[in-house]
Amino acid sequence: MIESRCGLLCSECSYQEQVGCKGCINITKPFWGDSCPVKSCCEREGLEHCGQCEKFPCELLNQFAYDEKQGDHGKRIEQCRCWLEKSNLCT
């Protein structure tokens, strides 16, 4: 099941319960700001998640995935690949 546009696993996010976040695929605006550029891009392109994009993984997604403070060392990129491949080995 796809949980986010960028590959973040919302079910593992501590903010889900803290702020009542339902995940970006189920909300209009993220809890942390007016918009999310990754969410906006996916929705503008009509994609469920970044892994479906012909530019995957793009510079924007890489910036999010490898951000020094809030990145996940590329875990979300791998998750998008798993969603795309519908692999049973994925989380």
Side-chain angles (χ1 to χ4, degrees), residues 58-70:
C58 70
E59 184 177 332
L60 178 62
L61 183 60
N62 274 304
Q63 286 174 352
F64 271 73
Y66 293 101
D67 179 77
E68 192 173 304
K69 292 182 181 178
Q70 297 181 9

Side-chain angles (χ1 to χ4, degrees), residues 9-42:
L9 291 175
C10 299
S11 59
E12 295 180 6
C13 180
S14 62
Y15 292 109
Q16 186 177 31
E17 286 188 29
Q18 289 178 8
V19 298
C21 182
K22 296 177 180 127
C24 68
I25 61 171
N26 297 309
I27 60 175
T28 304
K29 179 176 141 177
F31 68 88
W32 48 264
D34 288 332
S35 67
C36 171
V38 174
K39 173 179 169 50
S40 297
C41 181
C42 278

Side-chain angles (χ1 to χ4, degrees), residues 51-82:
Q52 296 173 324
C53 184
E54 63 185 32
K55 297 175 187 172
F56 174 78
C58 70
E59 184 177 332
L60 178 62
L61 183 60
N62 274 304
Q63 286 174 352
F64 271 73
Y66 293 101
D67 179 77
E68 192 173 304
K69 292 182 181 178
Q70 297 181 9
D72 58 9
H73 306 288
K75 182 178 175 186
R76 68 186 70 199
I77 292 172
E78 291 307 312
Q79 186 61 52
C80 283
R81 282 192 180 106
C82 287

